[in-house]
Amino acid sequence: MIQVDLSNPTLEFLENDPDIAAKFGQADSISYLMNSIADFLHVGSNLITMPLMFLFNLLVTWLIVYCVYYRFGRRRDYYVTFMLFSSGMFLLLWLMQILDIQTGFVLGLFAIFGMIRYRTETVPIREMNYMFIVIAVSVINSLSLKADDLPWYHLVFANALIIALAWGFEAWQARKRTSTKIILYEKIENIKPENRAALIADLEERTGLKVLDVEIGHIDFLRDVAYIKVTYPLEKGKVVNSIDQITKFK
């Protein structure tokens, strides 16, 4: 019969029961303690790294939205949308990594694009491109939290490359950027091919724009009007004029 000293039960069990000694021995206890400390430090490291990476992703998104998108387009209606979308996507992917959700990641991306097209108002192609860039940046920065062996300068280079490409293509495109206006024109006699010069001169005088090209659309002889698409150069440094897509107020 095993005599147990209630004043020190742990040592008595360790001495008389080899299974318990192997499970709760001093060496295993130290190993368990070290592993617990390592796990705690790892969690603490993530709690420090995640906010820093979140701020880094927010900074990169701001540079893309403000220094590239807004600088060349001068549109504020999607400014806040891009910033919030990037932050939400970053946090969503970060939580998916913690919960180890793989199928949800794929379905989530499809759901996001589905919601973009769900509304009756169509998102312009330029805004769709920037939405994809914002998503790509958020995915890159969020997934980097799980890659412990990824050098920080690789991540910085990838983000800087995206910003540089977006700014470079926008600057190159803004040099000779054109837009089009839909005009309801009433001088029906000027739509004839032989009166093209008179049509362009009349449009330039009345609109104040440098007309590069004119296309004749729908013609209504009952009201003596026709829809005309006028191509003109945009202001320097501007790449889009969103109101050109509106023919009239609803």
Side-chain angles (χ1 to χ4, degrees):
M1 182 175 180
I2 300 175
Q3 298 295 328
V4 179
D5 184 6
L6 296 178
S7 63
N8 194 357
T10 303
L11 294 179
E12 186 68 25
F13 275 112
L14 290 178
E15 291 177 359
N16 296 280
D17 195 323
D19 295 333
I20 297 179
K23 185 175 182 179
F24 298 100
Q26 183 178 5
D28 289 338
S29 300
I30 294 176
S31 177
Y32 176 77
L33 179 62
M34 296 300 294
N35 290 334
S36 299
I37 294 175
D39 293 339
F40 175 78
L41 293 177
H42 181 70
V43 172
S45 176
N46 287 338
L47 292 177
I48 296 175
T49 305
M50 184 271 174
L52 292 178
M53 187 57 66
F54 176 80
L55 294 177
F56 175 75
N57 179 76
L58 197 64
L59 174 62
V60 172
T61 305
W62 179 81
L63 290 175
I64 294 174
V65 174
Y66 180 78
C67 298
V68 182
Y69 171 78
Y70 177 74
R71 180 180 183 275
F72 290 97
R74 296 297 177 184
R75 295 194 63 175
R76 288 189 176 273
D77 45 350
Y78 288 94
Y79 191 106
V80 177
T81 302
F82 290 149
M83 298 299 296
L84 293 178
F85 200 94
S86 174
S87 301
M89 176 63 69
F90 179 89
L91 295 175
L92 177 64
L93 296 178
W94 175 64
L95 290 175
M96 282 183 174
Q97 294 178 58
I98 295 177
L99 300 176
D100 196 18
I101 301 176
Q102 298 178 355
T103 305
F105 172 77
V106 179
L107 295 178
L109 291 181
F110 279 105
I112 289 168
F113 284 107
M115 287 187 293
I116 294 173
R117 302 294 297 180
Y118 182 76
R119 306 302 298 173
T120 55
E121 182 180 355
T122 304
V123 180
I125 186 64
R126 182 171 183 266
E127 278 64 32
M128 286 292 293
N129 290 334
Y130 275 96
M131 184 70 74
F132 179 78
I133 292 176
V134 166
I135 292 175
V137 168
S138 301
V139 171
I140 291 173
N141 294 330
S142 179
L143 294 181
S144 65
L145 290 172
K146 198 171 184 179
D148 297 332
D149 56 343
L150 179 67
W152 62 269
Y153 50 85
H154 286 182
L155 183 63
V156 173
F157 175 77
N159 285 269
L161 183 60
I162 293 176
I163 297 174
L165 287 175
W167 187 90
F169 281 116
E170 288 281 25
W172 173 75
Q173 200 173 35
R175 296 175 60 186
K176 294 183 178 180
R177 184 68 175 178
T178 61
S179 186
T180 58
K181 283 186 181 295
I182 305 298
I183 297 176
L184 185 61
Y185 191 69
E186 85 285 359
K187 294 184 179 181
I188 200 70
E189 66 277 1
N190 285 344
I191 68 172
K192 298 178 181 179
E194 58 269 20
N195 296 333
R196 182 179 178 85
L199 173 62
I200 293 176
D202 183 53
L203 290 172
E204 288 182 343
E205 180 182 356
R206 298 169 69 178
T207 62
L209 301 173
K210 175 65 177 177
V211 178
L212 301 177
D213 191 22
V214 175
E215 297 180 35
I216 309 298
H218 175 72
I219 302 174
D220 188 347
F221 286 109
L222 295 178
R223 295 187 299 163
D224 285 340
V225 293
Y227 279 101
I228 298 177
K229 185 169 75 171
V230 178
T231 303
Y232 68 98
L234 284 173
E235 301 175 6
K236 184 178 180 181
K238 201 171 184 180
V239 297
V240 68
N241 190 4
S242 59
I243 202 171
D244 284 343
Q245 308 301 323
I246 300 177
T247 55
K248 63 180 180 178
F249 290 106
K250 297 181 180 179

